[in-house]
């Protein structure tokens, strides 16, 4: 395992502005979003809009990822993704969501999810997850991926590679008529082959006009996840695998989630729609 020192919170830069002509999600400026009361199965028009949002989110993440290197701050990554989304008419969904202060999440090493971009400097041997969501056309597209920073040790590199494979296997398991717990069953069975932990308390979710619709997609085999997949359903799959325990602590910022044993963790995510044949990924660049 890498001998890198543990992370500490950095300095958060001022809130970035969004051009006034870009449509905001309804929750911006409010403490919480309005509860979603619509269907999980979306119309063809909504799905097409989500393709646009998903493509912008994927390209914004790719643009930010080009900058990843030792010596770069996570705030610089936020700046790039923010600019890309705004330049393409999209609002960064995380900005102002329940008070989150930035336009993407940057989760480094032991951070499971929801890391806040700040003055933290990436170091040779780190791994960093970028989680980018774009809002345009009244809908959201959400994706994330974990990247290597410089020369990364084999244990961490394999964790990243296998977490990506876990997502790919889970997407292939999506079929109409199956319960959503098949997704977690596939992820958990694969992760156990390598002794990895599977984070349980942070999950995939329904997404459409709402950032989080209320539909839960566990990444472990939950007997309670009995929702049956239907064509037109839209949701994310975003497995979080750990080298050690799946248990976690949260920083005082109320967002940054770290593994309790401070061992490394990786995550990958796509937004997808259930089709008659399986799944279509909506977050492809």
């Amino acid at each position: 395992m890498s001998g890198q020192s543990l992370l500490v919170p950095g300095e958060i830069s001022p809130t970035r502005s969004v051009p006034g002509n870009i449509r905001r999600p309804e929750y911006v400026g409010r403490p919480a979003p309005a509860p979603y009361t619509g269907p999980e199965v979306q119309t063809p028009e909504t799905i097409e809009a989500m393709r646009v949002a998903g493509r912008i989110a994927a390209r914004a993440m790719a643009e930010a990822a080009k900058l990843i290197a030792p010596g770069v701050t996570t705030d610089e990554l936020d700046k790039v993704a923010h600019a890309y989304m705004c330049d393409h008419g999209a609002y960064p969904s995380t900005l102002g969501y329940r008070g989150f202060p930035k336009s993407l999440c940057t989760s480094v090493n032991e951070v499971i999810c929801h890391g806040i971009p700040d003055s933290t400097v990436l170091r040779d041997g780190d791994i960093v997850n970028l989680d980018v969501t774009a809002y345009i056309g009244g809908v959201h597209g959400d994706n994330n991926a974990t990247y290597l920073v410089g020369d990364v040790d084999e244990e961490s590199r394999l964790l990243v590679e296998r977490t990506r494979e876990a997502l790919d296997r889970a997407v292939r398991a999506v079929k109409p008529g199956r319960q959503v717990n098949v997704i977690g069953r596939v992820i958990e069975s694969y992760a156990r082959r390598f002794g990895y932990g599977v984070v349980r308390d942070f999950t995939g979710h329904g997404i459409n006009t709402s950032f989080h619709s209320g539909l839960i997609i566990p990444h472990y085999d939950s007997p309670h996840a009995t929702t049956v997949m239907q064509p037109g359903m839209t949701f994310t799959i975003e497995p979080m695998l750990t080298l050690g325990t799946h248990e976690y602590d949260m920083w005082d910022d109320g967002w940054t989630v770290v593994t309790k044993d401070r061992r490394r963790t990786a995550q990958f995510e796509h937004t997808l729609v259930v089709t008659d044949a399986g799944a279509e990924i909506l977050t492809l660049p």
Side-chain angles (χ1 to χ4, degrees), residues 28-280:
V28 174
R30 301 175 52 208
Y36 178 71
T37 57
E40 298 298 345
V41 172
Q42 304 305 311
T43 65
E45 292 75 19
T46 296
I47 293 167
E48 180 54 35
M50 290 181 68
R51 288 189 184 98
V52 174
R55 188 160 53 243
I56 291 173
R59 290 176 177 172
M61 184 173 70
E63 284 300 307
K66 291 177 183 177
L67 201 66
I68 291 174
V72 173
T73 68
T74 54
D75 188 65
E76 291 174 88
L77 303 178
D78 180 80
K79 181 180 180 180
V80 171
H82 178 93
Y84 186 92
M85 285 184 274
C86 292
D87 288 348
H88 290 80
Y91 185 91
S93 300
T94 60
L95 185 62
Y97 179 78
R98 297 184 182 272
F100 192 83
K102 289 295 173 182
S103 299
L104 79 164
C105 301
T106 50
S107 300
V108 182
N109 295 344
E110 69 267 22
V111 179
I112 294 172
C113 57
H114 304 158
I116 299 174
D118 59 18
S119 60
T120 297
V121 177
L122 296 176
R123 302 160 297 181
D124 187 59
D126 283 343
I127 60 174
V128 57
N129 178 274
L130 306 186
D131 192 338
V132 181
T133 310
Y135 177 79
I136 188 172
V139 299
H140 301 267
D142 187 3
N143 69 161
N144 76 55
T146 303
Y147 299 89
L148 309 181
V149 184
D151 185 16
V152 176
D153 66 275
E154 184 178 21
E155 184 178 47
S156 299
R157 182 178 54 76
L158 287 173
L159 174 68
V160 171
E161 180 181 302
R162 290 164 176 167
T163 305
R164 181 189 292 110
E165 175 64 18
L167 172 60
D168 291 345
R169 289 176 179 234
V171 170
R172 292 196 296 270
V174 171
K175 294 283 190 289
R178 291 181 172 178
Q179 295 181 347
V180 297
N181 58 12
V182 71
I183 294 168
R185 188 176 310 133
V186 165
I187 292 168
E188 188 172 41
S189 63
Y190 178 70
R192 280 181 170 171
R193 289 168 49 181
F194 311 104
Y196 295 154
V198 181
V199 173
R200 302 167 76 89
D201 291 347
F202 300 90
T203 67
H205 53 89
I207 184 170
N208 37 66
T209 58
S210 173
F211 195 170
H212 299 86
S213 73
L215 174 66
I216 300 299
I217 308 295
H219 302 124
Y220 65 98
D221 188 4
S222 169
H224 307 294
T226 57
T227 300
V228 175
M229 291 182 271
Q230 304 173 59
M233 286 180 66
T234 50
F235 52 82
T236 72
I237 303 175
E238 44 189 298
M240 292 153 262
L241 305 187
T242 65
L243 290 175
T245 182
H246 68 270
E247 296 181 350
Y248 66 92
D249 294 319
M250 187 175 288
W251 283 2
D252 291 342
D253 62 23
W255 284 105
T256 307
V257 179
V258 296
T259 54
K260 187 170 282 293
D261 58 10
R262 304 301 191 267
R263 298 195 71 193
R264 289 187 169 187
T265 175
Q267 181 184 15
F268 283 84
E269 173 187 23
H270 276 307
T271 296
L272 54 87
V273 58
V274 181
T275 68
D276 290 335
E280 176 194 345

